[in-house]
Amino acid sequence: MATPTRQLRFAFHRLTFRSGAGIRGRTDVAIEIQVDGTYVNNPYDLPIQVRPRATVDIDALGWAGELDAADRTDVIPVRVLARFDEPGNTNAIGEITRNIAWPFQPRHFRDTVAGFIVDWEIVHVEDPNVPPPVGAAVCREDADGGVMYSTVGPTAPTRVVIAMHDVIPVPPQERAPTLPRFPRGTPAAFTDHRAYTAAQLSGGAINMIENPACIPIMPSGTTLDDSNCSRFRITYYRPRTLAFAEDDARLEWNIVSLADGGDAAFHGRSTGTKIALHGVARGEIGLECRFLDTLVAQYRVMVEPLVKVPCRFTELHGSTNPRQRALRARFGPARMQGHLKFANQFLWQLGLQLEPDTDASVGWLPRGVAAANVQPVAGQDGFFTAIVPRGWTAGFDPSVRRASAVNSREWVVNFAYVASAVLAGMVVYGEAQSFETSGGNVTDNGTPSTSWISPSGVRPAAEAREHKMRIFATLPHPTLAHRFALYVTNANPDDFFAAGTVAHEFGHALGLMHRLEWPGLRSCGVQYPWNENLMHRENPTTISQDLDIIQARAVRRSPLVTHWAAPPPPPPPPPPPPIVGP
Amino acid sequence: MPRNEKAIRVLTSSTNTRELARAAQELAASADADDQAALGAALRNSALQARLDPPDADYAGAEDLNIARPLRTLAGNRSPLARGTLTTLINDATFTEDPDRFDLLLRATATWRPPDPVVVAFWRRAMDPDDVHFQIAVAVATENATEPAVAFFESCLRDARYDDETKISWMRRPLLMHRVEEPFLKMSERLLSTGPPAPLARPLQAALVEALFDFKQEEWYPPHSPPVPPRWTATTPAGRDILRRIAAYARNTLGPGAELETAIKAVVTQLDAIDGTRPR
């Protein structure tokens, strides 16, 4: 029998700076990473230039450490330090130290301090000379807690765990379930937990983001196809030697109605690690995955009609001179359209879409601004440019000047792209200035729990509990009714970040609060996941992408959503009277 | 002889924006008179400005510009020579005619404590209510938080050019963020007292008391805007006495509604608990 390998690889993937770093513009930083007291990189390399909330792709820099831990039982310290690296300023931004205890299990980490988040993992480097076990043949359910076993190889049974997590990117602590424990020597897991990149989404379909909280029911008459289904994928299985294929017939899915008669239909096959569905009837459904006739994974999702919410995007310029960049919104209609597409990819998770307003009439304007100052962009419904006094696009306090209402119409989501807003001590990327909500609380109860909040109900975890989430109170415009007014500033460093701002602020307009709020401020009451939810108070779009089932439930109460939702179908006609024979 | 000739050479000839910004920062961090003089001259040179931030380069606001980097380093350099370079730039009308450079200079003065009269005059230049700088000037002055800066802030709160909504927003953010600091509490007391100068109008007095005692996160601010109120435990004994006097004034003179009355009472109870005294 081969000796289990103890060669460990410490792979560092990404480091994302947070507002606590105090980075306000282009800044040189240094990152120092040590494993067991040894640098995995040269900290005296050239400094890295970053912008606020930038993500440093450490994978691309190739910083990783390997360690032979065969004779180690003591802890292995891992240290990540980020600091400024500028003339006159080499202050520390933050430092993370973790002491990894024996037996050094493969794990993912997303460690967070005020200044940054670092994604890294421990990987067991497997000995290429040890042949992997053969694939599973038989599977059964354990009587005391649902632990799955499959007969692997000729001798002992091996456990099997399969999961389809509803948060993507999957929170690190749940990428590799700690229970049940696998016997030593079990091949590592297959994981598919990564966040979507800007490049993936920009080239992807509107329904690209998998494992959504809601499957939309398409309007009647819509041809159901690849472009309007909801996609799901397995995020974890161990052992990876099971080598499931996307269309693997060993994984069989079925749909169960959980509440209110919810129903959906498979789009294409119902087997494999990736499946797709269309919504059929509103309610809540469960997706059950069976491996060799045994339930191995479950997923809970709402089914609701697709709601298209009209929106308009207006660039506010305080100067007609393009050189006056400080007084002009910077992105331009083509890039703003890209933001809308990205945002709709995120919103597909809720069964919502923003749709450009086809009404080209000029909306509300501040006193002194003529309607002629607002021009629709040729050939682009819902997109406008406007010339406004400079204080309506630059340097305003969002509590006072509601620039986001410029060119707004009732019940139409209004995105004003502005140059800059000012809040003491903050870089301002965007804000939802006016919106109407249902207020109150929303509750969710089911298995798995929303975002798999512990206990998730996914065996062997304990039964899921009910969760309650607060919804924002209405923040009305002082003089205008039914405004859903938001702005986006030039400070958004790139299009992906700006798109995240668009989707995040729209979330506020629907009543969603921050998933994780600053200490000392009132929060929504649901404090998990810590980093991956789109409504995180500050994380960039590279991490915060998910919207979960309690949020999907909350937005269905928004007056904006109910306003644009198609009226419920009329009740079915009474059955015809029985035909009585002569 | 300049101490950092290499950096000066880079500023003279390079077209690499990152190299230029780094060289400018090296000079900005210097305590050498020649370095500072060279930097001041370079930053005022329109050709260097264009090489540092080409007009067609990606732009994400003032603080994203490369010229922000030496200004940031200058702000962190407490030497009189660095302050002299900042003064030179403040007094250069051509340099400050660009709104971004104006804003960046304003931000660079936040850590100039106590602020030079030139700095306070610069803040006053920013206070045109029809322009785009006054909110930054108020934010910078309140971050500065020295006696002259607070006096400047007080003058803004008394300035008839600003509407009540703007003044109330200043009470609910910059003032609230400093509500435990004595200079801001003394200022608040002056704004409520009989004067001279004349106190604020009654509605603004009530708003000021409310901002100090009754933080309303969701009613006052859009989702991203609420400040985190500092804890009362950070007050000094003298600061707590001022707060008690303001509370008494509000109760006796302003006729607070039940909600504000309750909030005032709760804060005074906390202050008393900090002092280990019985409720008064």
Side-chain angles (χ1 to χ4, degrees), chain A residues 24-28 47-49 51-52 85-88 323-327 330 335 390-391 394-402 422-424 426-427 430-433 435 470-473 475 478 490-493 504-505 508 513-514 517-522 537, chain B residues 18 21-22 25-27 29 53-61 63-66 69 72-73 76 97-100 103 107 129-136 139 142-143 163 165-166 169-170 173-174 177 215 217-229 231:
Chain A
R24 298 186 62 97
R26 291 168 204 249
T27 302
D28 285 345
I48 301 165
Q49 181 174 276
R51 291 163 125 176
D85 191 5
E86 296 198 325
R323 295 278 183 204
Q324 290 274 18
R325 296 189 296 183
L327 306 176
R330 78 182 182 105
R335 293 175 72 180
R390 51 175 55 188
F396 60 87
D397 181 323
S399 300
V400 180
R401 182 153 292 169
R402 289 162 185 86
V422 178
L423 288 172
M426 292 174 69
V427 179
E431 184 68 281
Q433 286 189 292
F435 48 83
R470 288 181 60 233
I471 294 174
F472 259 126
L475 188 65
N490 284 350
N492 287 272
H504 176 103
E505 300 309 329
H508 286 318
M513 301 178 79
H514 286 150
E517 189 51 277
W518 298 105
L521 298 180
R522 287 184 79 188
R537 67 188 179 220
Chain B
R18 195 164 170 204
R22 185 88 186 180
Q25 282 187 286
E26 285 179 19
L27 297 178
D53 291 296
D56 55 351
D58 186 31
Y59 167 82
E63 292 181 280
D64 191 56
L65 293 171
N66 284 309
R69 298 180 58 162
R72 186 169 70 218
T73 306
E97 76 181 7
D98 176 75
D100 280 336
D103 284 350
R107 291 184 193 279
D130 294 324
D131 212 335
V132 296
H133 306 297
F134 68 91
Q135 294 288 5
I136 294 177
T142 49
E143 182 185 342
D163 56 29
E165 193 180 13
T166 298
S169 76
W170 290 338
R173 190 170 178 87
M177 289 166 74
F215 174 66
Q217 178 183 333
E218 287 172 53
E219 194 176 315
W220 289 350
Y221 312 96
H224 288 271
S225 303
V228 178
R231 294 175 185 276

Side-chain angles (χ1 to χ4, degrees), chain B residues 3-263:
Chain B
R3 204 179 67 172
N4 194 336
E5 283 184 80
K6 185 184 167 198
I8 292 171
R9 254 199 325 275
V10 168
L11 286 190
T12 311
S13 56
S14 177
T15 54
N16 179 319
T17 55
R18 195 164 170 204
E19 187 180 47
L20 279 166
R22 185 88 186 180
Q25 282 187 286
E26 285 179 19
L27 297 178
S30 169
D32 182 271
D34 290 336
D35 286 352
Q36 290 290 339
L39 176 69
L43 291 180
R44 290 153 61 205
N45 179 307
S46 59
L48 177 99
Q49 291 163 6
R51 276 188 288 133
L52 202 50
D53 291 296
D56 55 351
D58 186 31
Y59 167 82
E63 292 181 280
D64 191 56
L65 293 171
N66 284 309
I67 202 167
R69 298 180 58 162
L71 294 176
R72 186 169 70 218
T73 306
L74 275 174
N77 184 342
R78 307 283 162 85
S79 78
L81 286 166
R83 298 274 154 93
T85 306
L86 281 174
T87 304
T88 302
L89 297 173
I90 287 170
N91 289 329
D92 186 314
T94 309
F95 187 85
T96 56
E97 76 181 7
D98 176 75
D100 280 336
R101 292 198 296 263
F102 195 111
D103 284 350
L104 291 169
L105 264 183
L106 275 175
R107 291 184 193 279
T109 60
T111 52
W112 189 326
R113 298 188 177 100
D116 191 89
V118 171
V119 169
V120 178
F122 183 47
W123 293 345
R124 293 203 186 286
R125 272 169 62 193
M127 292 308 293
D128 176 354
D130 294 324
D131 212 335
V132 296
H133 306 297
F134 68 91
Q135 294 288 5
I136 294 177
V138 168
V140 162
T142 49
E143 182 185 342
N144 187 282
T146 56
E147 292 282 1
V150 175
F152 168 80
F153 181 43
E154 182 177 347
S155 73
C156 297
L157 287 165
R158 294 183 186 279
D159 193 327
R161 292 179 299 165
Y162 303 101
D163 56 29
D164 285 0
E165 193 180 13
T166 298
K167 291 176 183 175
I168 290 170
S169 76
W170 290 338
M171 293 169 183
R172 290 177 179 175
R173 190 170 178 87
L175 173 60
L176 191 146
M177 289 166 74
H178 295 274
R179 70 179 185 183
V180 296
E181 296 169 34
E182 267 185 62
F184 288 90
L185 291 171
K186 287 178 182 168
M187 178 200 76
S188 300
E189 197 170 29
R190 287 195 297 272
L191 290 166
L192 298 170
S193 66
T194 52
L200 294 179
R202 281 294 171 91
L204 283 176
Q205 288 193 24
L208 189 146
V209 171
E210 197 179 38
L212 288 174
F213 290 93
D214 194 11
F215 174 66
K216 293 176 178 168
Q217 178 183 333
E218 287 172 53
E219 194 176 315
W220 289 350
Y221 312 96
H224 288 271
S225 303
V228 178
R231 294 175 185 276
W232 295 116
T233 47
T235 48
T236 61
R240 291 194 285 278
D241 284 341
I242 297 171
L243 280 162
R244 289 189 188 98
R245 288 200 296 272
I246 292 174
Y249 172 82
R251 286 165 153 173
N252 297 334
T253 313
L254 297 179
E259 195 181 356
L260 181 56
E261 173 68 37
T262 304

